[in-house]
Short mmCIF file of all heavy atoms in Angstrom, two decimals:
data_model
loop_
_atom_site.label_atom_id
_atom_site.label_comp_id
_atom_site.label_asym_id
_atom_site.label_seq_id
_atom_site.Cartn_x
_atom_site.Cartn_y
_atom_site.Cartn_z
N LEU A 1501 113.05 102.85 92.63
CA LEU A 1501 112.77 103.98 91.75
C LEU A 1501 114.08 104.53 91.18
O LEU A 1501 114.96 104.94 91.93
CB LEU A 1501 112.04 105.06 92.54
CG LEU A 1501 111.51 106.25 91.79
CD1 LEU A 1501 110.42 105.84 90.81
CD2 LEU A 1501 110.97 107.29 92.75
N PRO A 1502 114.24 104.58 89.84
CA PRO A 1502 115.48 105.09 89.27
C PRO A 1502 115.56 106.62 89.24
O PRO A 1502 116.63 107.18 89.07
CB PRO A 1502 115.47 104.52 87.85
CG PRO A 1502 114.03 104.38 87.51
CD PRO A 1502 113.35 104.02 88.82
N ASN A 1503 114.43 107.28 89.45
CA ASN A 1503 114.37 108.74 89.36
C ASN A 1503 114.90 109.42 90.62
O ASN A 1503 114.80 108.87 91.71
CB ASN A 1503 112.93 109.21 89.15
CG ASN A 1503 112.25 108.52 88.01
OD1 ASN A 1503 112.06 107.31 88.03
ND2 ASN A 1503 111.86 109.27 87.01
N ALA A 1504 115.40 110.64 90.46
CA ALA A 1504 115.70 111.49 91.61
C ALA A 1504 114.36 111.88 92.24
O ALA A 1504 113.34 111.98 91.55
CB ALA A 1504 116.47 112.73 91.17
N GLU A 1505 114.36 112.11 93.55
CA GLU A 1505 113.12 112.44 94.25
C GLU A 1505 113.41 113.39 95.40
O GLU A 1505 114.40 113.25 96.10
CB GLU A 1505 112.47 111.16 94.78
CG GLU A 1505 111.16 111.38 95.50
CD GLU A 1505 110.50 110.09 95.97
OE1 GLU A 1505 111.13 109.01 95.88
OE2 GLU A 1505 109.36 110.17 96.44
N VAL A 1506 112.49 114.33 95.60
CA VAL A 1506 112.49 115.20 96.76
C VAL A 1506 111.23 114.86 97.53
O VAL A 1506 110.15 114.72 96.94
CB VAL A 1506 112.48 116.69 96.36
CG1 VAL A 1506 112.36 117.58 97.59
CG2 VAL A 1506 113.70 117.04 95.54
N MET A 1507 111.36 114.71 98.86
CA MET A 1507 110.18 114.41 99.68
C MET A 1507 110.26 115.13 101.01
O MET A 1507 111.35 115.40 101.52
CB MET A 1507 110.06 112.90 99.89
CG MET A 1507 111.18 112.28 100.68
SD MET A 1507 111.06 110.49 100.85
CE MET A 1507 111.58 109.96 99.23
N HIS A 1508 109.09 115.46 101.52
CA HIS A 1508 108.98 116.05 102.85
C HIS A 1508 108.04 115.17 103.66
O HIS A 1508 106.90 114.91 103.22
CB HIS A 1508 108.46 117.48 102.79
CG HIS A 1508 108.35 118.10 104.14
ND1 HIS A 1508 109.45 118.50 104.88
CD2 HIS A 1508 107.27 118.32 104.92
CE1 HIS A 1508 109.03 118.98 106.04
NE2 HIS A 1508 107.72 118.87 106.09
N ILE A 1509 108.50 114.70 104.82
CA ILE A 1509 107.71 113.79 105.64
C ILE A 1509 106.71 114.59 106.47
O ILE A 1509 107.09 115.43 107.29
CB ILE A 1509 108.62 112.94 106.56
CG1 ILE A 1509 109.72 112.23 105.74
CG2 ILE A 1509 107.80 111.96 107.38
CD1 ILE A 1509 109.24 111.33 104.63
N LEU A 1510 105.43 114.32 106.23
CA LEU A 1510 104.36 115.01 106.94
C LEU A 1510 104.04 114.35 108.27
O LEU A 1510 103.78 115.04 109.26
CB LEU A 1510 103.09 115.04 106.08
CG LEU A 1510 103.20 115.80 104.76
CD1 LEU A 1510 101.97 115.53 103.90
CD2 LEU A 1510 103.37 117.29 105.02
N THR A 1511 104.03 113.01 108.28
CA THR A 1511 103.75 112.26 109.50
C THR A 1511 104.47 110.92 109.44
O THR A 1511 104.75 110.41 108.36
CB THR A 1511 102.23 111.98 109.68
OG1 THR A 1511 101.77 111.20 108.58
CG2 THR A 1511 101.43 113.26 109.80
N GLY A 1512 104.75 110.35 110.60
CA GLY A 1512 105.29 109.00 110.67
C GLY A 1512 106.78 108.95 110.97
O GLY A 1512 107.43 109.96 111.20
N ALA A 1513 107.28 107.72 110.95
CA ALA A 1513 108.70 107.47 111.23
C ALA A 1513 109.13 106.22 110.48
O ALA A 1513 108.36 105.26 110.34
CB ALA A 1513 108.93 107.30 112.72
N CYS A 1514 110.38 106.24 110.02
CA CYS A 1514 110.91 105.10 109.30
C CYS A 1514 112.44 105.12 109.36
O CYS A 1514 113.04 106.07 109.86
CB CYS A 1514 110.45 105.11 107.84
SG CYS A 1514 111.15 106.46 106.87
N THR A 1515 113.01 104.08 108.81
CA THR A 1515 114.45 104.00 108.61
C THR A 1515 114.66 103.69 107.13
O THR A 1515 113.96 102.84 106.58
CB THR A 1515 115.07 102.88 109.46
OG1 THR A 1515 114.76 103.10 110.82
CG2 THR A 1515 116.58 102.82 109.29
N PHE A 1516 115.59 104.40 106.50
CA PHE A 1516 115.98 104.05 105.14
C PHE A 1516 117.45 103.69 105.17
O PHE A 1516 118.28 104.46 105.68
CB PHE A 1516 115.75 105.20 104.14
CG PHE A 1516 116.14 104.81 102.74
CD1 PHE A 1516 115.31 104.00 101.99
CD2 PHE A 1516 117.34 105.22 102.19
CE1 PHE A 1516 115.65 103.59 100.70
CE2 PHE A 1516 117.71 104.82 100.91
CZ PHE A 1516 116.86 104.01 100.16
N THR A 1517 117.77 102.50 104.65
CA THR A 1517 119.15 102.06 104.58
C THR A 1517 119.56 101.99 103.12
O THR A 1517 119.11 101.11 102.38
CB THR A 1517 119.32 100.68 105.24
OG1 THR A 1517 118.81 100.74 106.58
CG2 THR A 1517 120.79 100.26 105.27
N PRO A 1518 120.39 102.95 102.66
CA PRO A 1518 120.85 102.91 101.27
C PRO A 1518 121.71 101.67 101.04
O PRO A 1518 122.42 101.23 101.95
CB PRO A 1518 121.70 104.17 101.12
CG PRO A 1518 121.48 104.99 102.34
CD PRO A 1518 120.95 104.07 103.40
N THR A 1519 121.63 101.12 99.85
CA THR A 1519 122.46 99.96 99.50
C THR A 1519 123.93 100.29 99.79
O THR A 1519 124.45 101.28 99.31
CB THR A 1519 122.27 99.60 98.02
OG1 THR A 1519 120.88 99.34 97.78
CG2 THR A 1519 123.10 98.38 97.64
N GLY A 1520 124.54 99.48 100.67
CA GLY A 1520 125.94 99.68 101.03
C GLY A 1520 126.17 100.81 102.01
O GLY A 1520 127.32 101.16 102.30
N GLY A 1521 125.10 101.39 102.56
CA GLY A 1521 125.25 102.52 103.48
C GLY A 1521 124.70 102.26 104.86
O GLY A 1521 124.25 101.16 105.18
N GLU A 1522 124.75 103.29 105.69
CA GLU A 1522 124.26 103.21 107.06
C GLU A 1522 122.79 103.60 107.13
O GLU A 1522 122.33 104.46 106.36
CB GLU A 1522 125.07 104.16 107.95
CG GLU A 1522 126.53 103.78 108.09
CD GLU A 1522 126.71 102.43 108.78
OE1 GLU A 1522 126.03 102.19 109.80
OE2 GLU A 1522 127.52 101.62 108.29
N PRO A 1523 122.02 103.04 108.07
CA PRO A 1523 120.61 103.39 108.22
C PRO A 1523 120.43 104.87 108.55
O PRO A 1523 121.21 105.45 109.32
CB PRO A 1523 120.15 102.52 109.40
CG PRO A 1523 121.16 101.43 109.51
CD PRO A 1523 122.45 102.01 109.02
N LEU A 1524 119.40 105.47 107.97
CA LEU A 1524 119.03 106.86 108.23
C LEU A 1524 117.70 106.87 108.95
O LEU A 1524 116.71 106.35 108.42
CB LEU A 1524 118.91 107.65 106.92
CG LEU A 1524 120.13 107.65 106.00
CD1 LEU A 1524 119.77 108.21 104.65
CD2 LEU A 1524 121.25 108.44 106.65
N ARG A 1525 117.64 107.45 110.14
CA ARG A 1525 116.38 107.58 110.88
C ARG A 1525 115.64 108.80 110.33
O ARG A 1525 116.20 109.89 110.27
CB ARG A 1525 116.64 107.75 112.37
CG ARG A 1525 117.45 106.65 113.00
CD ARG A 1525 116.73 105.43 113.44
NE ARG A 1525 115.57 105.71 114.26
CZ ARG A 1525 114.62 104.81 114.45
NH1 ARG A 1525 114.69 103.64 113.89
NH2 ARG A 1525 113.58 105.10 115.20
N ILE A 1526 114.39 108.61 109.93
CA ILE A 1526 113.60 109.66 109.29
C ILE A 1526 112.29 109.78 110.05
O ILE A 1526 111.69 108.77 110.43
CB ILE A 1526 113.35 109.29 107.81
CG1 ILE A 1526 114.69 109.14 107.08
CG2 ILE A 1526 112.46 110.32 107.13
CD1 ILE A 1526 114.60 108.40 105.77
N ARG A 1527 111.86 111.04 110.25
CA ARG A 1527 110.61 111.24 111.02
C ARG A 1527 109.90 112.50 110.54
O ARG A 1527 110.41 113.25 109.71
CB ARG A 1527 110.91 111.31 112.50
CG ARG A 1527 111.79 112.46 112.81
CD ARG A 1527 112.21 112.50 114.23
NE ARG A 1527 113.10 113.66 114.27
CZ ARG A 1527 113.64 114.16 115.31
NH1 ARG A 1527 113.41 113.65 116.45
NH2 ARG A 1527 114.41 115.20 115.25
N THR A 1528 108.73 112.73 111.12
CA THR A 1528 107.92 113.89 110.79
C THR A 1528 108.77 115.16 110.75
O THR A 1528 109.56 115.40 111.66
CB THR A 1528 106.80 114.06 111.85
OG1 THR A 1528 105.99 112.87 111.84
CG2 THR A 1528 105.94 115.27 111.58
N GLY A 1529 108.60 115.93 109.67
CA GLY A 1529 109.30 117.20 109.53
C GLY A 1529 110.58 117.13 108.73
O GLY A 1529 111.13 118.17 108.36
N ASP A 1530 111.09 115.92 108.45
CA ASP A 1530 112.33 115.79 107.69
C ASP A 1530 112.08 115.97 106.19
O ASP A 1530 111.02 115.59 105.68
CB ASP A 1530 112.97 114.41 107.92
CG ASP A 1530 113.51 114.24 109.33
OD1 ASP A 1530 113.63 115.24 110.06
OD2 ASP A 1530 113.81 113.09 109.70
N THR A 1531 113.07 116.52 105.50
CA THR A 1531 113.03 116.68 104.05
C THR A 1531 114.21 115.91 103.48
O THR A 1531 115.34 116.04 103.97
CB THR A 1531 113.11 118.16 103.65
OG1 THR A 1531 112.03 118.86 104.29
CG2 THR A 1531 113.00 118.35 102.15
N LEU A 1532 113.95 115.11 102.44
CA LEU A 1532 114.98 114.25 101.86
C LEU A 1532 115.15 114.57 100.38
O LEU A 1532 114.19 114.90 99.70
CB LEU A 1532 114.58 112.78 101.99
CG LEU A 1532 114.51 112.22 103.40
CD1 LEU A 1532 113.21 112.59 104.08
CD2 LEU A 1532 114.66 110.74 103.38
N PHE A 1533 116.39 114.41 99.92
CA PHE A 1533 116.74 114.62 98.52
C PHE A 1533 117.46 113.35 98.04
O PHE A 1533 118.62 113.13 98.41
CB PHE A 1533 117.66 115.84 98.37
CG PHE A 1533 117.01 117.12 98.85
CD1 PHE A 1533 117.06 117.47 100.19
CD2 PHE A 1533 116.36 117.95 97.96
CE1 PHE A 1533 116.46 118.65 100.64
CE2 PHE A 1533 115.76 119.14 98.40
CZ PHE A 1533 115.82 119.47 99.74
#
Side-chain angles (χ1 to χ4, degrees):
L1501 187 65
N1503 308 63
E1505 181 178 8
V1506 175
M1507 64 183 76
H1508 180 74
I1509 307 303
L1510 297 169
T1511 61
C1514 68
T1515 303
F1516 181 77
T1517 305
T1519 303
E1522 295 296 316
L1524 304 169
R1525 303 275 310 162
I1526 300 163
R1527 62 185 177 174
T1528 300
D1530 291 347
T1531 303
L1532 294 81
F1533 299 85

